[in-house]
Amino acid sequence: MIDESCSCSILLIDDQPYAQDFIGHCLEGCADIALRYDPRAECAVELAREVRATVVLVDLRMPGTDGFDVITLLRSHPDTEHLPVILLSSEEDAEIKAKAFATGANDYLVKWPDPRELVARVRYHSAAFIARCQRDEAFVSLRRSQAELAASQSALHQAQKMEAIGQLTGGVAHDFNNVLQIIGGNLQLLKLLGGVSDSARARIDVALSGVERGAKLSAHLLAFARRQPLQAVVVNPGAVLLSMDEMMRRVLGPRSNILTDIQDGLWSTTVDPSQLNNVILNLAINARDAMVDGGTLTIRAANVNASSPDLSEVGNADYVMIEVADTGRGMPPAVLQRAFEPFFTTKPTGQGTGLGLSMAYGFVKQSGGEIILKSEPGEGTSVKIFLLKSATEPVADEESAPVPLVGGVETILVVEDETDVRNSTVELLSALGYQVFQAEDAAAAIALVDSGAHVDLVFSDVIMPGKVSALEMGEAVMARLPGVQVLYTSGYAEGVLTHEGKLDPGVNLLQKPYSADVLSSRIRHLLRRRRQQQAANEPQANHQA
């Protein structure tokens, strides 16, 4: 019987039991060889598979199914077509030998051979067969590895392409925001200075609306590129979704239904709530466009534990999952593969920019989460967003009342390397009544403060040339002038002020392009806070005195 530890497994098929005794005697002392005898020649294939034969010894002359028939049976089955067959015969006939080899025999032995010759031939053919099997397995494994490598390379190529597109769009958005700031700043200055007719003022307002549209486009590009500065706070995503219910119903219109399923006890997460709002809104708009004849939009929010099978494509952590699913026309595989690329859209010209999904992708990735898009033609689309669970609970938001355009008499230092942006900002602040200093880079700003200039607030660009960064400059100025406020601005806050795309605590950032109203409001807020800090410090100083 077969021994699993044996490397050579012989199947002997002969109508004479004496053959088993002789072959067994020849193999005495060969611990690596196992022998199985069976006279049923018609069952050769099944027997060979059963004993995992590595070589078959078969008698030529047998009643019914003879040795030639056994070879034919073995060669006709895919599991045994390469199994070595040694034909045993009492006939030393060249014509019979030739027929045996033509039929598919690997060897021919005349009964009865010397035991040493028999063992040598059996081991040779068995080793050759085992080597062939190992080679075939290696080729199968190689093909499997090549297929897996091709899939990995395809995924890597897609990721590299998305990263390259992100870097390109981020750089374009940076320059675009500076251009928008120059245009918007000068238009706002024209309105502020007055002396323009009502017709001219209307045209200025139209142009400013164009600047605002450009700013939104740039924000989408930065979101995809993961270069937007996120003002992340701990929020309850369920509350964000519920607050959007009325808006979503207006977006979808009366022909579609909205189903909201928010799990009780939903975990909190750290995310920029305004950007999350934009993402959900964009997904709802995409769903509306996909449901031409109406349908159902389902919005779900649920806790997903680290051990959940839903995270097989995400990671091993606790997540809050937000799903936006529609019953629309769905996407074919070719469209699904490119859905996250910026400016890729299947909508008719003028009905979409192709930035909705790419913005969602960039925002979720920058927020440390994962986004999974699944769709089938005719079966609708599902977008699942996974955001990491926060260890803390949300803090009540302190909303500040809007402040109208207002100036002051304090001193402001404007630090900006773009000449046109710096000039328009300086003129705008001067028109609001502020005393304004200006510097073209961080080193010049520090030198100005070191010269004795008094400054109440520093308004600085983030990305500037020179050895001194904007953040280092801000720290240096605050060390020299305790209580000074620092307000940063940028259209591309890359690396300097952010960690993983999130603002450092205590950093004040105004994103370009900014309007005169927003700039004046932020400045007054910071200067008001400066006065409050000074007032709080004075009683302490008097008490110590």
Side-chain angles (χ1 to χ4, degrees):
M1 299 298 292
I2 279 295
D3 182 351
E4 293 293 336
S5 65
C6 297
S7 60
C8 178
S9 175
I10 299 175
L11 172 62
L12 172 61
I13 300 177
D14 198 307
D15 61 325
Q16 296 295 328
Y18 168 75
Q20 179 184 15
D21 297 334
F22 178 83
I23 298 297
H25 174 72
C26 292
L27 298 179
E28 284 182 358
C30 298
D32 62 322
I33 301 178
L35 176 65
R36 164 73 179 270
Y37 167 75
D38 201 301
R40 296 173 295 167
E42 70 280 3
C43 300
V45 172
E46 291 77 6
L47 293 170
R49 294 172 62 187
E50 179 184 340
V51 301
R52 298 179 185 176
T54 60
V55 64
V56 174
L57 295 176
V58 59
D59 186 26
L60 172 61
R61 302 300 181 186
M62 292 183 294
T65 304
D66 63 11
F68 294 127
D69 295 330
V70 169
I71 295 172
T72 302
L73 287 172
L74 293 173
R75 294 292 173 257
S76 63
H77 195 284
D79 290 346
T80 57
E81 60 178 329
H82 301 299
L83 185 62
V85 179
I86 300 175
L87 196 62
L88 299 174
S89 174
S90 59
E91 303 174 53
E92 182 74 55
D93 188 306
E95 186 175 345
I96 294 177
K97 289 181 180 180
K99 181 180 177 182
F101 288 118
T103 306
N106 296 83
D107 209 340
Y108 187 99
L109 283 176
V110 177
K111 293 181 179 179
W112 290 104
D114 184 279
R116 291 170 296 180
E117 180 183 1
L118 176 65
V119 170
R121 289 178 182 267
V122 164
R123 280 179 172 160
Y124 170 78
H125 289 296
S126 177
F129 177 68
I130 292 172
R132 181 188 185 110
C133 292
Q134 291 173 341
R135 183 202 65 184
D136 292 345
E137 289 176 2
F139 278 130
V140 170
S141 177
L142 177 61
R143 285 194 294 270
R144 188 184 303 114
S145 298
Q146 287 175 332
E148 292 173 354
L149 177 61
S152 299
Q153 287 176 332
S154 176
L156 176 61
H157 175 71
Q158 181 70 8
Q160 289 174 333
K161 181 173 71 172
M162 296 290 278
E163 182 64 24
I165 295 174
Q167 291 177 353
L168 175 63
T169 53
V172 169
H174 171 232
D175 293 337
F176 189 40
N177 277 331
N178 273 335
V179 172
L180 289 174
Q181 186 56 54
I182 293 170
I183 298 171
N186 283 283
L187 289 171
Q188 292 160 5
L189 192 57
L190 280 175
K191 287 184 65 176
L192 187 62
L193 294 176
V196 295
S197 64
D198 291 341
S199 176
R201 183 177 291 275
R203 292 183 179 275
I204 290 174
D205 288 337
V206 171
L208 285 173
S209 297
V211 171
E212 186 176 348
R213 288 177 59 190
K216 291 180 179 178
L217 173 62
S218 181
H220 287 324
L221 291 173
L222 285 172
F224 166 74
R226 292 180 253 172
R227 302 294 192 272
Q228 63 175 344
L230 297 179
Q231 312 236 354
V233 295
V234 179
V235 299
N236 185 320
V240 175
L241 296 176
L242 289 174
S243 68
M244 297 180 64
D245 185 71
E246 184 178 348
M247 181 190 303
M248 302 267 267
R249 295 186 186 281
R250 288 202 302 268
V251 166
L252 260 68
R255 302 181 65 182
S256 297
N257 299 320
I258 297 181
L259 298 179
T260 304
D261 180 15
I262 298 177
Q263 179 180 334
D264 293 335
L266 192 66
W267 294 329
S268 58
T269 186
T270 303
V271 72
D272 187 323
S274 63
Q275 293 298 331
L276 177 60
N277 190 297
N278 288 338
V279 166
I280 301 301
L281 185 59
N282 273 296
L283 295 179
I285 292 172
N286 284 347
R288 178 201 63 190
D289 295 342
M291 298 186 295
V292 180
D293 300 321
T296 300
L297 176 69
T298 302
I299 300 176
R300 295 177 55 236
N303 300 329
V304 184
N305 293 306
S307 58
S308 172
D310 293 336
L311 298 180
S312 58
E313 301 177 56
V314 181
N316 187 23
D318 291 334
Y319 287 89
V320 178
M321 187 273 292
I322 300 174
E323 181 182 17
V324 179
D326 64 63
T327 57
R329 54 178 176 263
M331 305 179 196
V335 173
L336 186 64
Q337 187 177 14
R338 300 187 58 192
F340 286 133
E341 294 181 15
F343 299 112
F344 175 77
T345 179
T346 57
K347 298 177 184 177
T349 303
Q351 294 188 20
T353 61
L355 287 172
L357 280 174
S358 63
M359 185 269 284
Y361 173 88
F363 164 73
V364 173
K365 289 288 188 177
Q366 190 178 356
S367 300
E370 294 292 338
I371 182 169
I372 296 177
L373 173 64
K374 294 190 176 181
S375 185
E376 292 284 346
E379 300 295 329
T381 300
S382 165
V383 181
K384 290 183 178 179
I385 296 172
F386 295 86
L387 299 171
L388 285 167
K389 174 187 176 183
S390 174
T392 59
E393 292 300 318
V395 179
D397 186 23
E398 297 181 3
E399 297 186 2
S400 57
V403 178
L405 184 63
V406 63
V409 295
E410 292 89 351
T411 302
I412 297 176
L413 170 58
V414 176
V415 189
E416 169 66 63
D417 64 300
E418 287 270 352
T419 303
D420 291 336
V421 176
R422 185 174 68 249
N423 290 341
S424 64
T425 303
V426 168
E427 290 186 41
L428 178 61
L429 293 174
S430 298
L432 290 174
Y434 294 105
Q435 181 180 351
V436 184
F437 294 120
Q438 56 180 298
E440 62 183 3
D441 57 34
I446 294 174
L448 182 66
V449 173
D450 286 340
S451 69
H454 172 73
V455 176
D456 297 301
L457 182 142
V458 177
F459 183 48
S460 173
D461 188 25
V462 170
I463 306 297
M464 291 183 294
K467 296 181 179 179
V468 183
S469 71
L471 186 59
E472 291 170 339
M473 179 271 297
E475 292 173 347
V477 171
M478 287 188 287
R480 289 162 172 77
L481 299 173
V484 69
Q485 299 296 302
V486 180
L487 175 60
Y488 295 100
T489 183
S490 179
Y492 183 76
E494 169 69 10
V496 180
L497 300 178
T498 58
H499 293 297
E500 299 178 352
K502 299 171 186 176
L503 289 176
D504 289 333
V507 169
N508 301 294
L509 180 71
L510 177 61
Q511 201 161 356
K512 292 180 181 176
Y514 47 81
S515 67
D517 291 344
V518 173
L519 175 60
S520 103
S521 174
R522 293 294 295 275
I523 288 176
R524 291 317 309 165
H525 171 73
L526 291 174
L527 291 174
R528 191 161 50 246
R529 187 170 70 180
R530 179 175 184 267
R531 287 199 305 270
Q532 292 171 351
Q533 291 173 348
Q534 289 175 335
N537 291 334
E538 285 179 1
Q540 295 180 4
N542 294 334
H543 177 73
Q544 292 174 356

